[in-house]
Amino acid sequence: MEGVQHRMVEVNGINIHIAEKGEGPVILFLHGFPELWYSWRHQIHALSNMGYRTVAPDLRGYGDSDIPESVDSYTCFHIVGDLVELIDVLDPHERKVFVVGHDWGAILAWFLCLLRPDKVKAVVNLSVPFLRFDRNIKPVELWRAYYGSDHYISRFQEYGEIEGEFAWVGMDRVEKEFLTDFPVLLPRGKLFKRPLDEPITLPCWLSEEEADYYVTKFQKTGFTGPLNFYRNFDRNWELLKPWVGCKIETPAKFMIGDKDLVYHMPGMKNYIHNGGFQEDVPCLEEVVVLEGVDHFISMEEPQKVNEYIFDFFSRFR
């Protein structure tokens, strides 16, 4: 990672690790699960060479950032609070940046636009559109009704339970399984489709060296911090009720792979393509569906993603 600088930044009462490169307007990259700042390595290099200052943090609970112990420390308000203070540190004059998010990073980017639109010039989100909350049904209950109790989000809810199963399987295996073929279901006693004695063939876009970077970090930190994001889905639903019906007014672009598990959730295609998404995000300027692409879009098709980001943000410089 030539030229990438690393440092710790104190924000919102915790220390956040950031990787950064380049000069110019700031692009803040927000990763998902089970990822790190490193998932944006292709974008950091490309966009920094195109005249931007690229910054990718490890979100709280991940990598080299602090890992608060309490599950309650991972609500949307805590994490958006981290991002607001980080933006002020990165750009103390304008206090406003471009944002790119993927997976949980996209969810948080939408929350940031909803709660503090003054902090975001424009947003490009990958894989997860703005999620319209049902007023009456908690999100975890909704997914459990669709998929059953083995759905990965349902399985993540009980503190310590899935961590124990992951530890039994081994961090190396767990991380590579998620990066290779993100599982919708995690049945007890047989978490993954492949037998544990069957070797994993990594996808062409992920080398052993790259996969080992993730494995090394998660072997050190474990998964409890990242899983606590999921354990706050219902809490976030409660906290955000005052914002039900509010629109995302930030200029936005959205990209998703046609093989992404999110794209195939019940009702998702209809929401994205038939007016619901545009209604919730009136300044949504384009939806791009990349053929043959799965969930980890920024690593699977980095050149296309880089070009889309550059072309969109160039209009707002």
Side-chain angles (χ1 to χ4, degrees):
M1 298 299 295
E2 184 179 352
V4 177
Q5 303 295 314
H6 297 265
R7 62 186 173 111
M8 302 298 292
V9 180
E10 185 177 353
V11 297
N12 200 20
I14 65 170
N15 294 306
I16 292 289
H17 163 254
I18 65 171
E20 57 186 330
K21 184 180 181 183
E23 297 181 0
V26 174
I27 303 179
L28 181 62
F29 292 93
L30 307 177
H31 66 79
F33 174 90
E35 301 178 80
L36 302 162
W37 73 270
Y38 189 65
S39 292
W40 299 110
R41 58 195 178 278
H42 304 297
Q43 287 67 46
I44 288 172
H45 283 306
L47 276 299
S48 65
N49 289 331
M50 296 177 184
Y52 288 92
R53 180 184 172 196
T54 56
V55 181
D58 287 329
L59 297 174
R60 68 163 57 202
Y62 281 86
D64 292 323
S65 292
D66 283 354
I67 305 175
E69 291 186 10
S70 171
V71 174
D72 295 338
S73 296
Y74 292 82
T75 70
C76 57
F77 288 167
H78 288 85
I79 303 164
V80 169
D82 297 345
L83 300 178
V84 168
E85 289 199 24
L86 179 58
I87 290 168
D88 289 346
V89 170
L90 296 175
D91 191 340
H93 302 293
E94 194 171 4
R95 296 174 180 260
K96 192 173 187 177
V97 301
F98 294 108
V99 178
V100 180
H102 170 254
D103 186 78
W104 259 105
I107 295 173
L108 296 168
W110 294 124
F111 287 161
L112 179 63
C113 293
L114 179 69
L115 301 173
R116 292 299 303 269
D118 58 306
K119 294 297 181 182
V120 186
K121 296 177 181 178
V123 62
V124 173
N125 273 334
L126 314 180
S127 294
V128 181
F130 179 70
L131 299 176
R132 180 189 292 177
F133 283 135
D134 188 296
R135 288 178 181 269
N136 301 310
I137 304 176
K138 293 182 178 181
V140 176
E141 291 178 7
L142 186 63
W143 284 310
R144 188 177 288 121
Y146 279 132
Y147 293 105
S149 59
D150 285 339
H151 186 239
Y152 73 98
I153 292 176
S154 296
R155 294 283 280 116
F156 287 174
Q157 295 306 306
E158 188 67 32
Y159 186 91
E161 180 179 289
I162 197 71
E163 288 97 323
E165 295 182 49
F166 284 169
W168 183 81
V169 171
M171 294 299 182
D172 181 279
R173 185 78 186 199
V174 170
E175 181 65 15
K176 290 178 180 177
E177 286 279 7
F178 273 104
L179 292 175
T180 300
D181 185 14
F182 199 108
V184 176
L185 302 178
L186 292 170
R188 287 172 174 80
K190 191 179 186 304
L191 291 180
F192 303 110
K193 297 176 184 177
R194 280 175 286 266
L196 295 181
D197 59 356
E198 179 181 312
I200 295 177
T201 300
L202 295 176
C204 62
W205 48 266
L206 185 68
S207 70
E208 285 286 348
E209 182 181 5
E210 290 170 327
D212 286 344
Y213 182 87
Y214 292 98
V215 170
T216 299
K217 292 298 182 181
F218 283 105
Q219 283 176 334
K220 177 183 176 183
T221 65
F223 284 100
T224 296
L227 293 170
N228 285 341
F229 284 61
Y230 291 93
R231 290 167 181 149
N232 277 282
F233 257 128
D234 285 351
R235 180 63 174 150
N236 291 339
W237 174 80
E238 296 173 353
L239 293 171
L240 290 171
K241 280 201 169 184
W243 287 269
V244 169
C246 291
K247 311 295 185 184
I248 301 292
E249 302 288 354
T250 306
K253 185 166 188 166
F254 180 70
M255 288 180 275
I256 193 168
D258 68 349
K259 293 185 176 181
D260 196 316
L261 76 162
V262 178
Y263 196 50
H264 295 278
M265 287 181 174
M268 189 62 74
K269 291 181 185 178
N270 180 62
Y271 173 73
I272 290 173
H273 297 295
N274 292 330
F277 192 13
Q278 188 74 61
E279 180 182 346
D280 290 337
V281 188
C283 295
L284 177 66
E285 300 200 9
E286 187 179 12
V287 170
V288 177
V289 179
L290 296 181
E291 293 184 6
V293 177
D294 212 310
H295 185 62
F296 296 100
I297 184 170
S298 65
M299 293 185 279
E300 294 179 52
E301 287 288 352
Q303 185 171 347
K304 290 181 181 179
V305 170
N306 296 342
E307 290 172 356
Y308 280 123
I309 293 172
F310 178 77
D311 290 345
F312 185 61
F313 286 166
S314 293
R315 298 168 46 199
F316 303 97
R317 292 192 61 165

